[in-house]
Amino acid sequence: DVKVTQSSRYLVKRTGEKVFLECVQDMDHENMFWYRQDPGLGLRLIYFSYDVKMKEKGDIPEGYSVSREKKERFSLILESASTNQTSMYLCASRSPLSGSYEQYFGPGTRLTVT
Amino acid sequence: QQQVKQSPQSLIVQKGGIPIINCAYENTAFDYFPWYQQFPGKGPALLIAIRPDVSEKKEGRFTISFNKSAKQFSLHIMDSQPGDSATYFCAASMGAGSYQLTFGKGTKLSVIP
């Protein structure tokens, strides 16, 4: 079974702090994604990475950056957390080379910025 | 152009009923339409997907109906069960291989015994 794990289920940070959200997948997937999920807004793509050291902006990249130094790990960085970044953050991965385009999601990190 | 509009926002049905969730899109370049199911405390998981060359796809109790001319697609759940209570998201992309999925805003389904 594909497993996508996220470093924390719940996180509370203060305004202005630098925040790291970590995601690890164990299936050698090429593509990885970061979404945020807000009630009534669905899932919105922040950044994605189609391979190691590659990254592309999604729909809402402002205030975020990402890092992918190893194939299995994709990090989301909030350089200076703000209260409007309080949200559920979901990581996903997939392997188009396998012939499947299904995205596999982690359980999410609920981040609260106070 | 990039939006996928999903309705209703929430839905309550009795066990055995057939909930229907609808989605509409504008971008005619979309050609891959998956549905994801999310249980509380879990990430979304792929439920079923359709390409526009077919009008219907069925997997178990779940059916997608697709109307290309109307740019609409819908999810039907036959003989719904309390265990189907979850949030359902439709999505669309320009090709199954496209990196970007555009998600609808979600429908919270409650199936009551």
Side-chain angles (χ1 to χ4, degrees), chain A residues 11-17 19 78 80-87 89 110-114:
Chain A
L11 209 52
V12 180
K13 295 292 182 180
R14 292 193 181 273
T15 301
E17 278 193 84
V19 181
L78 287 66
S80 178
S82 63
T83 55
N84 63 11
Q85 292 178 310
T86 291
S87 187
Y89 289 87
R110 185 166 293 283
L111 173 66
T112 302
V113 183
T114 62

Side-chain angles (χ1 to χ4, degrees), chain B residues 1 3 7 18-19 21 26 28 31-33 42 46 49 66-69 73-74 76-78 92 95 107-108:
Chain B
Q1 278 285 332
Q3 281 188 326
S7 62
I18 305 175
I21 304 170
E26 289 295 323
T28 55
D31 70 350
Y32 172 69
F33 303 91
K42 304 282 188 182
L46 180 66
F66 188 85
N67 185 330
K68 189 174 182 178
S69 60
F73 58 110
S74 59
H76 302 233
I77 306 176
M78 304 299 180
T107 297
K108 185 174 181 180

Side-chain angles (χ1 to χ4, degrees), chain B residues 79-98:
Chain B
D79 187 26
S80 59
Q81 301 296 314
D84 296 328
S85 298
T87 300
Y88 292 82
F89 294 96
C90 62
S93 72
M94 286 179 275
S98 170

Side-chain angles (χ1 to χ4, degrees), chain A residues 30-49:
Chain A
E30 295 80 28
N31 305 158
M32 296 188 75
F33 306 81
W34 275 106
Y35 294 89
R36 65 177 281 178
Q37 181 177 10
D38 300 289
L41 295 179
L43 279 71
R44 293 178 293 166
L45 182 65
I46 305 171
Y47 267 96
F48 65 93
S49 168

Side-chain angles (χ1 to χ4, degrees), chain A residues 33-82:
Chain A
F33 306 81
W34 275 106
Y35 294 89
R36 65 177 281 178
Q37 181 177 10
D38 300 289
L41 295 179
L43 279 71
R44 293 178 293 166
L45 182 65
I46 305 171
Y47 267 96
F48 65 93
S49 168
Y50 46 90
D51 210 336
V52 178
K53 296 191 186 292
M54 302 295 188
K55 60 185 179 185
E56 291 287 341
K57 294 179 180 179
D59 295 321
I60 52 165
E62 296 78 19
Y64 304 94
S65 62
V66 291
S67 173
R68 192 161 178 212
E69 296 297 317
K70 293 186 177 181
K71 193 174 187 179
E72 68 271 18
R73 189 179 298 269
F74 192 34
S75 302
L76 180 69
I77 304 154
L78 287 66
E79 294 290 342
S80 178
S82 63

Side-chain angles (χ1 to χ4, degrees), chain B residues 2-33:
Chain B
Q2 288 294 97
Q3 281 188 326
V4 176
K5 294 181 180 179
Q6 182 171 349
S7 62
Q9 191 171 353
S10 64
L11 190 53
I12 300 173
V13 299
Q14 288 210 305
K15 178 183 173 182
I18 305 175
I20 301 172
I21 304 170
N22 300 298
C23 287
Y25 63 97
E26 289 295 323
N27 190 343
T28 55
F30 285 149
D31 70 350
Y32 172 69
F33 303 91

